[in-house]
mmCIF file of all heavy atoms in Angstrom:
data_model
loop_
_atom_site.group_PDB
_atom_site.id
_atom_site.type_symbol
_atom_site.label_atom_id
_atom_site.label_comp_id
_atom_site.label_asym_id
_atom_site.label_seq_id
_atom_site.Cartn_x
_atom_site.Cartn_y
_atom_site.Cartn_z
ATOM 1 N N VAL A 47 12.511 59.564 27.797
ATOM 2 C CA VAL A 47 12.685 60.479 28.937
ATOM 3 C C VAL A 47 12.855 59.639 30.158
ATOM 4 O O VAL A 47 12.316 58.551 30.230
ATOM 5 C CB VAL A 47 11.541 61.462 29.066
ATOM 6 C CG1 VAL A 47 11.489 62.424 27.900
ATOM 7 C CG2 VAL A 47 10.252 60.755 29.186
ATOM 8 N N THR A 49 12.014 60.845 33.332
ATOM 9 C CA THR A 49 10.967 61.152 34.334
ATOM 10 C C THR A 49 9.792 61.832 33.636
ATOM 11 O O THR A 49 10.073 62.628 32.693
ATOM 12 C CB THR A 49 11.491 61.976 35.485
ATOM 13 O OG1 THR A 49 11.982 63.201 34.967
ATOM 14 C CG2 THR A 49 12.565 61.193 36.301
ATOM 15 N N ALA A 50 8.632 61.742 34.161
ATOM 16 C CA ALA A 50 7.543 62.514 33.562
ATOM 17 C C ALA A 50 7.524 63.890 34.162
ATOM 18 O O ALA A 50 8.057 64.179 35.220
ATOM 19 C CB ALA A 50 6.148 61.769 34.077
ATOM 20 N N ALA A 51 7.045 64.843 33.402
ATOM 21 C CA ALA A 51 6.999 66.240 33.774
ATOM 22 C C ALA A 51 6.140 66.331 34.992
ATOM 23 O O ALA A 51 5.042 65.834 35.134
ATOM 24 C CB ALA A 51 6.511 67.106 32.633
ATOM 25 N N PRO A 52 6.625 67.116 35.984
ATOM 26 C CA PRO A 52 5.840 67.280 37.238
ATOM 27 C C PRO A 52 4.629 68.149 37.042
ATOM 28 O O PRO A 52 4.671 69.078 36.242
ATOM 29 C CB PRO A 52 6.847 67.986 38.226
ATOM 30 C CG PRO A 52 7.821 68.703 37.298
ATOM 31 C CD PRO A 52 7.902 67.820 36.063
ATOM 32 N N ALA A 53 3.541 67.816 37.720
ATOM 33 C CA ALA A 53 2.244 68.515 37.548
ATOM 34 C C ALA A 53 2.212 69.709 38.472
ATOM 35 O O ALA A 53 1.534 70.625 38.221
ATOM 36 C CB ALA A 53 1.086 67.578 37.837
ATOM 37 N N SER A 54 2.968 69.685 39.552
ATOM 38 C CA SER A 54 2.946 70.757 40.483
ATOM 39 C C SER A 54 4.301 70.713 41.318
ATOM 40 O O SER A 54 4.976 69.821 41.224
ATOM 41 C CB SER A 54 1.778 70.657 41.482
ATOM 42 O OG SER A 54 1.928 69.522 42.221
ATOM 43 N N THR A 57 4.160 67.429 43.601
ATOM 44 C CA THR A 57 4.452 66.172 42.936
ATOM 45 C C THR A 57 5.882 66.203 42.378
ATOM 46 O O THR A 57 6.472 65.181 42.103
ATOM 47 C CB THR A 57 3.452 65.964 41.794
ATOM 48 O OG1 THR A 57 3.496 67.045 40.868
ATOM 49 C CG2 THR A 57 2.014 65.837 42.381
ATOM 50 N N ALA A 58 6.412 67.324 42.099
ATOM 51 C CA ALA A 58 7.784 67.317 41.595
ATOM 52 C C ALA A 58 8.822 66.771 42.620
ATOM 53 O O ALA A 58 9.847 66.373 42.208
ATOM 54 C CB ALA A 58 8.218 68.758 41.203
ATOM 55 N N THR A 63 7.778 59.498 39.860
ATOM 56 C CA THR A 63 7.536 59.854 38.448
ATOM 57 C C THR A 63 8.522 59.107 37.502
ATOM 58 O O THR A 63 8.510 59.348 36.297
ATOM 59 C CB THR A 63 7.682 61.301 38.268
ATOM 60 O OG1 THR A 63 8.869 61.791 38.823
ATOM 61 C CG2 THR A 63 6.502 62.063 38.908
#
Side-chain angles (χ1 to χ4, degrees):
V47 295
T49 58
S54 67
T57 57
T63 51

